Amino acid sequence: MSKFKKKKDGGLPAISTASLPDIVFMLLFFFMVATVLRDTSLLVENQLPPADQVEKLKKDRTMFIYAGAPSEQYKGKFGEEGRIQINDAYVNLDAVQPAVKEYINNLPEELQPRVVIGLKVDTNTKAGITFDIKEELRKANALKIMYVANAKNEDL
C-alpha cells in the first residue's frame, strides 16, 4: 500500500493585475465614443408635428429656435404662455434678431450665406409666436427657414 501525502493548502494565488490598465482604457475609450453630448437643454415643451416629407440637413449651418409653453419645471416661474428659447435660455422677441446675427457672424465666411434657421415649434403653440419669430428673422435677413417636424408613421 502506498501512502499519499495531502498537499497543504497554501491559500489563494495572487490575482494578476497586469491587464487591468488595458481594460480601464478600453472602457474609457468605449464611453468616449458611445456618449452623445446634448447641444441644448429644452426649457419648453416640444412635441413636434408629423410631416409627410422629411429631409435631414447638416447641423454645421443650422441654428435652432424653440417655441412652446414652458416645461413642467418652469411653469410656476414663467406661466403657461408660449415662450421662445434660443440655446439654453428663454429670450424675448426683441432678442431673436441679435442672436441670429451673432450666430451668423461666428460661422466661417463660406457658410454665412447658407445659414438655415430651424424652427422647432410645439404643436400646441399659437401661430402668433411663429409669425413674430419669422418677422424678426426677416429683419435679420435670415430668409432660409425650415420647420422641424417628426416623420409621420404610416403604421399607426
Side-chain angles (χ1 to χ4, degrees):
M1 292 208 179
S2 62
K3 292 185 178 179
F4 294 101
K5 285 188 177 180
K6 242 184 179 180
K7 281 187 175 180
K8 292 186 180 179
D9 191 15
L12 294 174
I15 297 175
S16 173
T17 59
S19 63
L20 189 62
D22 294 336
I23 295 170
V24 169
F25 284 117
M26 186 171 47
L27 285 172
L28 178 67
F29 182 73
F30 171 77
F31 285 115
M32 285 173 51
V33 170
T35 302
V36 177
L37 298 177
R38 192 171 16 167
D39 292 336
T40 306
S41 298
L42 283 179
L43 304 175
V44 296
E45 293 179 4
N46 199 254
Q47 182 181 1
L48 300 174
D52 291 333
Q53 298 175 354
V54 179
E55 181 180 330
K56 194 165 191 145
L57 294 178
K58 292 183 179 180
K59 290 187 178 182
D60 61 346
R61 60 186 176 103
T62 306
M63 176 185 180
F64 293 103
I65 298 176
Y66 301 89
S71 57
E72 289 297 323
Q73 61 189 17
Y74 298 105
K75 280 189 179 178
K77 187 175 181 182
F78 295 106
E80 302 279 332
E81 192 174 319
R83 304 280 302 195
I84 301 169
Q85 176 187 345
I86 297 177
N87 296 330
D88 284 333
Y90 289 127
V91 296
N92 293 329
L93 194 58
D94 56 350
V96 171
Q97 185 178 350
V100 170
K101 286 184 178 180
E102 179 184 346
Y103 178 81
I104 292 172
N105 291 334
N106 289 338
L107 285 176
E109 194 171 320
E110 64 272 2
L111 291 178
Q112 287 180 1
R114 298 180 7 202
V115 169
V116 177
I117 307 298
L119 295 178
K120 291 188 174 186
V121 181
D122 187 54
T123 55
N124 298 324
T125 303
K126 295 182 179 180
I129 294 175
T130 308
F131 181 77
D132 293 340
I133 293 171
K134 286 173 39 179
E135 286 294 319
E136 290 296 316
L137 293 175
R138 283 187 193 115
K139 292 176 188 175
N141 200 23
L143 304 176
K144 294 179 184 176
I145 300 172
M146 71 173 174
Y147 293 97
V148 180
N150 288 332
K152 185 191 286 188
N153 287 340
E154 300 295 331
D155 303 342
L156 298 177

